[in-house]
Amino acid sequence: MKQKKEFDWFDRPESKRKLWIWLYAFCGLLVAIDLFTHRHAYFGFGHYFAFYALLGFVSCAVLILFSKLVGLFLKAKEDYYDK
Amino acid sequence: MISDFPPAAILILGALLVPFFKGKAKNWYVILLPAAAFYLISQLQVGSSWQVHFFGFDLTFLRVDKLSKVFGYIFTLNAVAAFVYAFYLKDNTQHVAAAIYIGSALGVVFAGDLVSLYFFWEVMAVASTFLILSRKTKKAQAAGMRYIMVHIFGGLCLLAGMVIYITETGSIAFNAMADRNLGTYLILIGLLVNAAAPPLHAWLPDAYPEATATGGVILSAYTTKTAVYTLVRGFPGWEILIVVGCIMTIYGIIYALLENDMRRILAYSIINQVGFMVCGVGIGTAMSLNGTVAHAFCHIIYKSLLWMSAGSVLYMVGKSKCTDLGGLYKTMPWTLIFGGIGALSISSFPATSGFTSKSLILDGAIHEHLMWVWLVLEVASAGVFLHAGIKFPYFVFFAKDKGLRPGETNKGMLIAMGFMAFMCIFLGLYPQPLYNVLPHVVPYQAYTFTHVIAQLQLLMLSALVFFLFLKLLKRTETISIDTDWFYRKGGGLFYYVMDKALNGINGVSERIFVGGLAGYLGRVSRDGPTRAALLGMVPAWAIGGAKGERLAIKKDNVRTALRTGTSPIGITAAIATIFLVVVFLLL
């Protein structure tokens, strides 16, 4: 009996490359749209070009780095409480 | 009369009959209970009824208004889905505990006074503990124990606050609290324990992930959201809640990023999400309160959905650590798709329910010109996508294939997840039915072109950061130390410190007083008179010409005489005189 081939598209290197391209393209497109639209400024800075893109990028980078930093102190071995 | 029957009673009384049903009838029966309660709530008329006179108090078991109704709707709707999800389960304990837990949550929501609220509050704590204990592992037993202890502490704060409040105001009615004094602050602390506000939050990520697969789904919805309800009812506009809420949103993200256990990631993300709601209560305007209620409504749906997908992975694979999971998209595609919809919803992706509900809270902050609050909530919104939106599905379903081939989960679970996923998208595309049942009438339009683009920019760039920083996010086989350390390790440490310190002092005291000082005093009092006598007499003898052997003999004679109490009168008189001189000098 012939075995059904497993769906493994996401494991393939060429798929990963494609996904990266799509991700960059989508991000680029969203930022590009800012060139043609005008957002209402809530606090005097919400309307800047690519404001939300920058906010997302910077805040996530900071969150990851910060959690990495506090992780040095807060991470413990799994049997920490059993000892 | 159907129009004024407490919905809590259906579930609590109904729970008692669960053991009498056999086989699948039991599962159908428990689905029917919340469905009946849902119908009942839709028929309830606004007003108060079921007033009972009890120990001098007029209790109100059924206070119906828009706020209690909307929580009633979502509590029963979620319960129906949760029991469909639990269709495979034959365990009486879990079904009974779940029905009583959900029933008492309804009891809290419809309680018109503090006393009956407190009663249901405590029943909730006890019933929910059984959903954790039912896992029947040693870890679950210990976590369940800690869980109930923390809730007893919270309950005591609430009770103390209520006693003070009732004594001061003379009323047990539960409405918006105006005075800010010890009583109301204690009530607030009691409520915030259940809302899982740091530093009183550690019970949640400690206990929920130890619950059973369905227990986790049910627990994720009720305890924290009844707390949100009570905050909306009792503490709207309390500015301190803005601060508490902002801290919660960021705190949840940081810990969720550190975590390795998938259900613990989801547990921390509850704290993050409830933070948004608490913040909305603190802002306290009609729009932000609407936002809080809408967000609680949508949150219960997508968070249940996320716990369901994690639960079905746990049910099929028996593992919950990210380091053990991965590559499940091949064999559990439906769990992935439904869980993915939940993940997008929690991230407020446009076209999902998170987008149409969370925006209300953010707009509430904008309308009040709270720039920093708005900024923190935006940062937290980006962070949600990071930890719950991508991290959870990525490490469980993609990442590295660990060779797990469990196959798709059972039909009941899939139907429940499918329904919840449908609700996420339905409320995302067409939120009007939800807006209609919110407590305040505030027209709102979430979908403007610039809003959608702004949100997509925020989220997609967050996604980009996730994959760019993937190496930093590599999972490690660790746990994260949280404030439960103080009662898990701190107790031991306290014991150790007390043991070392107090017993150390004991040891030193013993050495000094028993071994040293007492012996010294003994020697002094024994030899003192002899020494004193010799001190006076040796110079006298020396002057008299006594030397060498004669002097030694004289000294020996004095020692023997004093020891045996046979000294000549002259010497006794001399010693007595010396003693009196010494005493005189000392005094």
Side-chain angles (χ1 to χ4, degrees), chain A residues 12-52:
Chain A
R12 294 179 208 157
E14 70 267 24
S15 319
K16 283 183 184 163
R17 216 187 65 240
K18 268 184 204 159
L19 286 170
W20 269 111
I21 293 169
W22 276 106
L23 182 60
Y24 272 116
F26 193 41
C27 290
L29 176 76
L30 287 166
V31 173
I33 289 174
D34 257 17
L35 291 172
F36 310 105
T37 54
H38 180 74
R39 248 195 316 271
H40 178 69
Y42 297 124
F43 297 106
F45 49 77
H47 61 296
Y48 290 151
F49 170 72
F51 172 76
Y52 284 89

Side-chain angles (χ1 to χ4, degrees), chain A residues 6 11 30 74-76 80, chain B residues 330 405 457 476 479 481 485:
Chain A
E6 199 171 59
D11 287 1
L30 287 166
L74 295 176
K75 277 188 175 183
Y80 174 76
Chain B
K330 294 168 189 170
R405 296 291 182 272
Q457 276 189 7
T476 50
I479 55 166
I481 309 293
W485 184 89

Side-chain angles (χ1 to χ4, degrees), chain B residues 209-412:
Chain B
E210 301 300 340
T212 61
T214 54
V217 171
I218 294 165
L219 286 166
S220 76
Y222 297 97
T223 301
T224 45
K225 261 59 76 184
T226 42
V228 168
Y229 159 82
T230 51
L231 291 175
V232 173
R233 175 78 75 190
F235 297 88
W238 280 51
E239 298 84 3
I240 181 79
L241 292 177
I242 300 179
V243 182
V244 173
C246 284
I247 292 172
M248 286 174 80
T249 55
I250 302 293
Y251 197 97
I253 294 171
I254 299 293
Y255 269 92
L257 285 173
L258 291 176
E259 263 304 329
N260 184 29
D261 185 301
M262 63 171 171
R263 295 208 299 171
R264 213 149 254 142
I265 296 173
L266 296 180
Y268 277 112
S269 113
I270 295 180
I271 297 175
N272 156 274
Q273 291 295 302
V274 172
F276 283 98
M277 299 171 212
V278 171
C279 205
V281 177
I283 296 168
T285 58
M287 176 173 259
S288 73
L289 290 173
N290 263 3
T292 294
V293 176
H295 201 49
F297 195 99
C298 296
H299 166 86
I300 287 176
I301 297 172
Y302 58 66
K303 184 50 65 130
S304 274
L305 178 53
L306 284 166
W307 278 85
M308 282 175 178
S309 65
S312 47
V313 169
L314 180 71
Y315 178 69
M316 295 306 293
V317 185
K319 295 172 197 276
S320 68
K321 288 190 286 182
C322 289
T323 39
D324 297 337
L325 296 166
L328 289 176
Y329 75 89
K330 294 168 189 170
T331 44
M332 304 183 79
W334 286 106
T335 305
L336 163 66
I337 290 168
F338 295 140
I341 291 171
L344 291 177
S345 297
I346 196 172
S347 317
S348 300
F349 223 82
T352 64
S353 58
F355 184 69
T356 48
S357 60
K358 192 160 73 187
S359 310
L360 278 161
I361 300 174
L362 281 140
D363 271 25
I366 290 168
H367 283 267
E368 292 300 297
H369 309 292
L370 301 165
M371 184 187 83
W372 286 105
V373 176
W374 170 79
L375 203 60
V376 170
L377 296 185
E378 285 286 8
V379 169
S381 300
V384 176
F385 196 41
L386 209 58
H387 78 267
I390 311 179
K391 183 186 171 181
F392 161 67
Y394 177 77
F395 283 109
V396 173
F397 295 100
F398 300 101
K400 208 168 174 226
D401 190 342
K402 297 281 162 45
L404 303 165
R405 296 291 182 272
E408 194 53 272
T409 187
N410 65 46
K411 271 207 189 89

Side-chain angles (χ1 to χ4, degrees), chain B residues 514-531:
Chain B
V514 179
L517 199 61
Y520 175 74
L521 284 174
R523 278 196 307 278
V524 165
S525 47
R526 196 186 67 210
D527 301 341
T530 319
R531 281 170 187 242

Side-chain angles (χ1 to χ4, degrees), chain B residues 189-205:
Chain B
I189 290 172
L191 300 180
L192 284 176
V193 168
N194 273 26
L200 307 169
H201 67 287
W203 57 269
L204 196 160

